[in-house]
Amino acid sequence: MRSPRPYAPQADSGAQSLTERRKAATQLDIARAACELFAEHGPDGTTAEDIAHRAGVALRTFYRYFRNKQEAVAPLLAGGGDAWRALLAEEDPGTPLAEALERAVTRSLSGPQAVEEGLEVTRGLLRAAADDEALRAVWYRVNQDSEERLVPVIGRLAGADAELREVRLLAAAATDAIRVALELWSQTDAPVSGPGSPAELAALCLRDLTGAMPLLR
């Protein structure tokens, strides 16, 4: 039976049952396969059957989790946002927000998992999405979901006196800084670390977008 709605991020893994963790692992396997195939053959040259075969699952299993091939990439894309929000959540309340945000963004985009696997996969996927409206829609929706989930994290760090308007604007700007940085980087052959890397670009975008925000003054 096909899922009646697009992929939604899973609950925190610490609260998941063994069955839920297995389902999440299967979804991630399918997402990796989809991203690899889209990068290799493009969305038009990839079918749901191809993705299921690459992931080592039955086609009915694919449709149990995703309603179409483009939706299948969502778990892998969402993982990047999950990682950087978790790093930001580790910061102590009272830490200057500008420092906390840039540190979390830089760490998430320069960590071993991002460098060794996630970034090159993301580059191939974003290149493939350039000519596929449905794939771009998944990318934008994952970023929107990440922005919404970032609001309480920033709110906790900003303190009870922070206005919701300012917290939401900062969450939107931080999310867009990463999104724009990854999109710009994906159009180049720049390395995954060092000059021109996503971490460097994201830090620059973050400063440009948030420099005048009251919460960071």
Side-chain angles (χ1 to χ4, degrees), residues 22 38 97 104 129 132 135 179 194 205 212 217:
R22 286 174 175 169
F38 288 155
L97 270 173
D132 190 280
L135 200 52
R179 178 184 62 80
C205 290
R217 291 174 185 165

Side-chain angles (χ1 to χ4, degrees), residues 67-144:
R67 65 183 184 183
N68 59 49
K69 61 186 181 182
Q70 286 90 349
E71 293 288 348
V73 305
L76 194 63
L77 293 178
D82 293 343
W84 103 262
R85 285 193 310 275
L87 289 169
L88 185 62
E90 293 176 359
E91 298 282 346
D92 294 325
T95 302
L97 270 173
E99 295 177 16
L101 285 165
E102 186 166 332
R103 183 161 47 239
V105 167
T106 302
R107 289 176 64 195
S108 69
L109 292 173
S110 57
Q113 184 174 357
V115 170
E116 294 171 10
E117 177 185 5
L119 291 177
E120 285 295 359
V121 171
T122 300
R123 171 150 51 191
L125 185 65
L126 290 177
R127 287 178 174 179
D131 298 315
D132 190 280
E133 184 177 349
L135 200 52
R136 289 198 304 277
V138 175
W139 168 242
Y140 294 140
R141 192 185 70 248
V142 166
N143 277 275
Q144 180 63 39

